[in-house]
Amino acid sequence: MAIKTGIFFCGCLGAISDVISPAVVEEGLKKVKKLVGDKQFSSWLCGPAGIKLLQQSIREHQLDCVLIAGCPGQVHRELFQDAAGVAGLPPEMVLRLDIREGCAFPHRDNPDVAARKAVNLIKMWNGRAKLAGPYEPILVPGCRRVLIIGAGLAGLSAAAELAEAGVDVFVVEQSSYLGGQVARLNRVFPRLCDAACGITYLVGRLNDSGRAKFFTLAEIASISGSSGRFSAVVRIAPRYVHSSCNGCGLCAEVCPVEAPDEFNCGLGRRKAIYAPRPLDPVGTYLVERAACPPGCSKCAASCPAGAVELEAEPQKLELQFGGAIVATGCEAYDVARVGRLGHGVHKGVITSLQMERLTAPDGPTGGKLVQPDNGRPVQRVGFVQCAGSRDRGHQPWCSSVCCSVTMKQAMGVKEDHPGVRVYVFYTDIRTPGEYEDLYIAAQEAGVVFLRLNPAEVVPAVGDEGLVVRGEDTLTGQVLEIACDLVVLAVGLTPRGIPAVLADFMDGQREGRPTDYLKKYGLVNSYGFFTGHKQCFPLETIHAGIYPAGSCQEPMDMASTVRSAAGAAGMLLKTMGEQVEVFPLVARIDKTKCDKCNRCVEECPYGVWYYDEKGFPTPNQLFCRSCHTCMGACPRRCIVPQGFNTLQQINMVTAKVKEVAPGEPHVIAFMCENDAYQAVLEAGRLGLSYPAGVHVIPVRCAGACNMVLIQDGLPEGIDGFMVGGCYPEQCHYTRGIDRAEERMANMAVTLKDMVLDPGRVKFIRLGVREAPKFIREASAFVDYLKSIGPNPLKGL
């Protein structure tokens, strides 16, 4: 059905009409007038009279679409859409064409050229309007199952939010217990309450929901599928003790092996068969099989319930889910690598996490503050800050929580043991926000702060305790401080993305997974799992997979919970029996598709899958609407609502005229978020650039299909520019890289066609790089003038 379009030219109270004559525009649109429903000029279209004119025209001429040539599209957006809506027009049928910043401002010194350019742009946008249509609602089945990798604070928090929203969650944890690192903590700041309280509360919520399934001693063996249609194989290691265990403990009594107690961070020993930890959802004893002596089966022989199965095998099960949250957390840096501090050498040197276990009521000493090697009471405690952190030889970053942890532990020592002398050896104290109160409270509690960077920790003479030796950087004195216990505030280091997940996220195609993920800003230089930090910190290169918690960066508990809530929120918007999705998601015309799979390969977010007939199909529930797939399709069969390749072709092939004799005609596709903003800024600043450059904003430079150039050259276009953001700023991860690759390929194609490859130009622009746009556009036009008009023009 033919679209009846109304064209409205706004004079913008002289800002436009003082430069661009409405009469010249009227004359230039004589032929177009016959093909439109109405054409009107208003000196002030956003004023009361202009709005009334717009609404009357829509009603009287029964317009299907209105094209407003005036200020940029983001200006008075709601005003025009609401006005059109009152007259019965859907908001998406209001097309906005910028001729103020795009024509009048940059070309004010040449009104005739500006007017001819405005006519050209109106013709181009009218070509787009001919194929416009109201959006059809898109309803798709929701995602009702989520996989959560990691059962620490982040994983449990995200799981609780999802489960209480009616979503089934599968929680996969490599340990035998829930709670991660937080389960080992004693008290947590700033309230100094018991750490176990919060974890117990989360587990209780999950149990009450009836929608959580826990898989402990488990890991992801493989993952496949696409967004919304994932499948994972989970490998579950055996406990070697089945559910008939009654917890009598006879097995542990006869076990001849003692192993380091990893839950207590190596402080104390446990048997090879040992009792379950708190918040172990299975609740039976378990065996560290690798620690068992060959042929030993004393535990099995002693078990009255016959619950010990030393020959048990791992299990595998397959899970189907729509989305996933990666909450693998982080771990303490191996501070034994900082040899001068003596960890692992001197028994009295422990880490901050070991201090948590030493002071915990359920720890190896029952909460007594004693030296871990001999059980002697501690009278002097020294806390060493930045142990292996902010050090280019180890971890160059600040882990942000270490100072607050030390304040908490130092205050705990002073509260529980007022007579103990407590020192903090620091380079800088970093307790941001409300945690500054901890620092003040520690000072008031009598903690002694020395700005001392310890050169070494050594045994005291006679092996009575330890000595911390270093220079006081405030006084220049070399100090030796005697301590019974030295606590190293170690920084946090990322556990890394599970290898199977990194492989899945397209890493193998372009090199090693970590290289690939770093290239697209999803793993930072320190190895933390993060997305587009500024705008999409939860994003990954697969829609539906989101990081949460301290696998992203060092976090305190509050930040971890907030991050988990964010990840849960990203998935919650895909829930429901039916979900109405963003109308601009990818759609495919399968009658034209030849199954070349380019869309699948180039999607930045992995949302494509193959239907039962082998056709590539987008999962619209997770589509980000970047239209990179549309830019890749050689058959133009990806036709999203809004602004698709067919409409772009109509714009490029519109019958336009030279703005001035000998002035090259250039089409410039600019990504709307960055490059196009630089163009608008150039106009606002009144910077002049060649008037033959006709700018078309697009969602992403990656949405530009090279058929636009192939179809445009025979129509006489002298050159094409494609502009986008810088790689690290791309809102669609890989869109800008795909655009650059296509432009490079197009240059080769032009050479094969015996056309100068310099007729296509790719540029990167930041939002505020208006001067760069001016330079690039001017240099490009100068080059086109030097090589002459497009030889296909007029054929």
Side-chain angles (χ1 to χ4, degrees):
M1 184 180 71
I3 296 292
K4 187 184 288 186
T5 305
I7 298 176
F8 296 83
F9 180 93
C10 177
C12 201
L13 291 176
I16 295 174
S17 56
D18 285 353
V19 179
I20 301 173
S21 167
V24 174
V25 173
E26 170 73 22
E27 179 65 24
L29 295 177
K30 274 186 176 180
K31 293 183 180 180
V32 175
K33 183 177 181 180
K34 299 175 184 178
L35 305 176
V36 299
D38 192 22
K39 183 170 67 65
Q40 298 286 347
F41 167 76
S42 171
S43 63
W44 187 28
L45 193 61
C46 60
I51 293 298
K52 183 177 180 181
L53 172 68
L54 178 68
Q55 292 174 329
Q56 285 178 342
S57 178
I58 292 171
R59 293 190 182 103
E60 291 176 7
H61 297 278
Q62 297 183 327
L63 299 179
D64 301 305
C65 180
V66 296
L67 170 57
I68 299 174
C71 56
Q74 66 264 36
V75 181
H76 299 311
R77 179 185 180 87
E78 291 187 8
L79 173 66
F80 287 125
Q81 288 184 346
D82 291 347
V86 170
L89 204 62
E92 61 269 20
M93 298 306 285
V94 178
L95 300 184
R96 302 289 302 281
L97 163 59
D98 167 37
I99 58 170
R100 189 177 70 184
E101 276 81 340
C103 288
F105 287 179
H107 312 309
R108 66 174 74 248
D109 294 336
N110 200 332
D112 290 339
V113 166
R116 284 193 285 272
K117 180 177 178 179
V119 170
N120 283 351
L121 289 171
I122 292 172
K123 288 179 179 179
M124 291 165 61
W125 254 254
N126 187 51
R128 171 181 176 177
K130 290 176 183 178
L131 297 179
Y135 294 160
E136 299 173 4
I138 301 176
L139 297 173
V140 298
C143 161
R144 306 299 300 168
R145 287 175 294 184
V146 172
L147 173 71
I148 297 180
I149 306 174
L153 179 62
L156 293 176
S157 297
E161 299 301 328
L162 291 166
E164 290 180 347
V167 178
D168 293 329
V169 292
F170 306 123
V171 183
V172 176
E173 167 59 41
Q174 66 179 0
S175 301
S176 63
Y177 57 90
L178 308 179
Q181 297 284 29
V182 175
R184 294 170 161 177
L185 303 183
N186 181 16
R187 289 183 282 188
V188 296
F189 56 83
R191 295 188 178 186
L192 303 183
C193 51
D194 195 312
C197 172
I199 297 298
T200 304
Y201 171 69
L202 286 172
V203 175
R205 287 172 61 189
L206 285 164
N207 289 334
D208 290 344
S209 74
R211 292 190 172 274
K213 289 186 178 181
F214 300 107
F215 303 98
T216 52
L217 294 177
E219 61 182 3
I220 305 299
S222 66
I223 185 169
S224 58
S226 62
S227 303
R229 305 164 68 87
F230 294 115
S231 178
V233 174
V234 178
R235 181 184 183 275
I236 303 175
R239 298 172 69 93
Y240 302 103
V241 180
H242 62 61
S243 59
S244 62
C245 170
N246 66 359
C248 68
L250 291 175
C251 55
E253 290 180 13
V254 301
C255 178
V257 175
E258 286 194 346
D261 189 342
E262 73 285 348
F263 185 81
N264 285 316
C265 307
L267 299 178
R269 312 283 288 179
R270 60 159 174 79
K271 296 297 183 72
I273 185 167
Y274 57 96
R277 297 299 180 189
L279 294 174
D280 183 326
V282 177
T284 68
Y285 271 63
L286 61 159
V287 181
E288 183 187 354
R289 198 70 178 91
C292 295
C296 180
S297 59
K298 291 182 179 181
C299 55
S302 67
C303 179
V308 179
E309 295 181 312
L310 295 177
E311 303 306 319
E313 296 291 334
Q315 295 179 327
K316 287 187 177 181
L317 72 154
E318 188 170 351
L319 302 177
Q320 311 291 330
F321 54 97
I325 291 176
V326 181
T328 49
C330 58
E331 58 193 0
Y333 181 67
D334 181 9
V335 76
R337 297 173 60 185
V338 189
R340 60 186 173 82
L341 298 181
H343 186 261
V345 178
H346 311 312
K347 295 293 185 180
V349 179
I350 65 174
T351 68
S352 48
L353 189 55
Q354 287 176 315
M355 184 64 170
E356 292 289 330
R357 298 310 304 149
L358 188 67
T359 56
D362 63 345
T365 66
K368 296 178 181 178
L369 186 64
V370 296
Q371 294 172 305
D373 57 332
N374 53 32
R376 295 173 185 165
V378 170
Q379 297 299 321
R380 299 158 299 182
V381 181
F383 290 88
V384 177
Q385 299 310 103
C386 301
S389 295
R390 302 175 64 197
D391 183 337
R392 293 194 179 278
H394 297 280
Q395 293 192 145
W397 63 87
C398 170
S399 290
S400 75
V401 298
C402 316
C403 286
S404 298
V405 169
T406 292
M407 299 305 111
K408 174 198 73 171
Q409 293 180 342
M411 288 171 57
V413 171
K414 294 297 289 185
E415 288 177 6
D416 297 338
H417 310 278
V420 173
R421 186 77 165 166
V422 179
Y423 302 94
V424 174
F425 308 114
Y426 70 97
T427 301
D428 298 291
I429 296 294
R430 295 181 172 181
T431 49
E434 64 178 313
Y435 299 148
E436 185 71 11
D437 292 343
L438 289 173
Y439 182 29
I440 295 171
Q443 291 173 305
E444 293 174 346
V447 176
V448 177
F449 289 84
L450 294 173
R451 199 170 192 276
L452 178 120
N453 185 9
E456 58 182 350
V457 178
V458 297
V461 176
D463 200 27
E464 293 291 330
L466 301 163
V467 171
V468 177
R469 182 180 296 145
E471 180 187 358
D472 184 327
T473 57
L474 295 179
T475 65
Q477 292 181 298
V478 174
L479 302 179
E480 292 187 349
I481 309 295
C483 296
D484 302 310
L485 187 69
V486 173
V487 183
L488 305 180
V490 297
L492 301 178
T493 193
R495 292 186 188 277
I497 302 172
V500 65
L501 183 61
D503 289 347
F504 171 71
M505 291 197 294
D506 250 349
Q508 295 300 325
R509 194 173 63 192
E510 298 193 24
R512 291 183 297 129
T514 51
D515 291 344
Y516 181 81
L517 295 171
K518 284 181 180 178
K519 177 179 179 182
Y520 293 108
L522 301 172
V523 173
N524 64 22
S525 58
Y526 300 148
F528 288 103
F529 190 8
T530 185
H532 188 300
K533 191 77 171 179
Q534 301 91 326
C535 303
F536 306 109
L538 299 174
E539 183 180 77
T540 71
I541 55 176
H542 263 268
I545 300 178
Y546 303 101
S550 58
C551 67
Q552 296 181 276
E553 61 185 40
M555 290 185 184
D556 61 9
M557 290 179 65
S559 299
T560 297
V561 173
R562 283 193 290 267
S563 171
M570 295 295 289
L571 281 168
L572 277 173
K573 68 183 181 181
T574 69
M575 305 304 166
E577 294 300 324
Q578 270 199 327
V579 180
E580 183 171 354
V581 298
F582 188 53
L584 304 187
V585 295
R587 298 193 307 178
I588 184 168
D589 180 356
K590 294 181 181 178
T591 63
K592 298 178 181 178
C593 178
D594 65 356
K595 304 179 183 179
C596 74
N597 302 329
R598 288 287 299 281
C599 49
V600 180
E601 295 170 357
E602 296 209 12
C603 174
Y605 300 102
V607 305
W608 288 77
Y609 64 96
Y610 298 100
D611 69 10
E612 63 281 358
K613 294 184 178 180
F615 283 101
T617 304
N619 187 322
Q620 296 174 321
L621 187 63
F622 290 94
C623 177
R624 284 287 306 277
S625 306
C626 63
H627 301 166
T628 303
C629 56
M630 182 179 77
C633 181
R635 298 182 66 85
R636 317 174 197 182
C637 58
I638 298 177
V639 284
Q641 300 183 106
F643 189 27
N644 57 48
T645 299
L646 302 179
Q647 290 173 295
Q648 293 172 8
I649 290 172
N650 258 20
M651 297 182 73
V652 170
T653 59
K655 302 298 181 183
V656 301
K657 297 181 179 179
E658 289 183 342
V659 296
E663 186 69 22
H665 181 53
V666 175
I667 299 292
F669 291 100
M670 298 284 159
C671 82
E672 62 187 11
N673 192 74
D674 289 80
Y676 182 59
Q677 299 305 314
V679 176
L680 292 177
E681 182 69 8
R684 284 190 285 269
L685 294 173
L687 302 178
S688 179
Y689 57 90
V693 177
H694 297 69
V695 177
I696 300 175
V698 291
R699 278 186 79 74
C700 176
C704 294
N705 197 304
M706 293 304 100
V707 300
L708 298 169
I709 298 176
Q710 293 171 348
D711 288 4
L713 289 171
E715 294 295 325
I717 310 298
D718 293 301
F720 284 87
M721 295 177 70
V722 173
C725 57
Y726 293 96
E728 64 275 12
Q729 297 171 3
C730 184
H731 284 73
Y732 300 112
T733 309
R734 292 182 288 175
I736 188 62
D737 287 346
R738 294 298 181 242
E740 185 175 26
E741 290 167 9
R742 292 177 201 148
M743 289 293 281
N745 292 337
M746 193 66 225
V748 175
T749 300
L750 292 184
K751 193 172 182 180
D752 292 340
M753 295 169 61
V754 198
L755 290 174
D756 192 313
R759 291 193 182 275
V760 295
K761 184 178 183 65
F762 174 81
I763 60 173
R764 296 183 187 270
L765 291 171
V767 174
R768 294 187 175 89
E769 291 190 319
K772 181 179 178 181
F773 167 70
I774 299 299
R775 292 194 304 271
E776 295 284 359
S778 300
F780 184 49
V781 169
D782 287 343
Y783 180 78
L784 294 176
K785 287 180 178 178
S786 72
I787 63 175
N790 175 3
L792 301 180
K793 188 177 291 189
L795 296 181

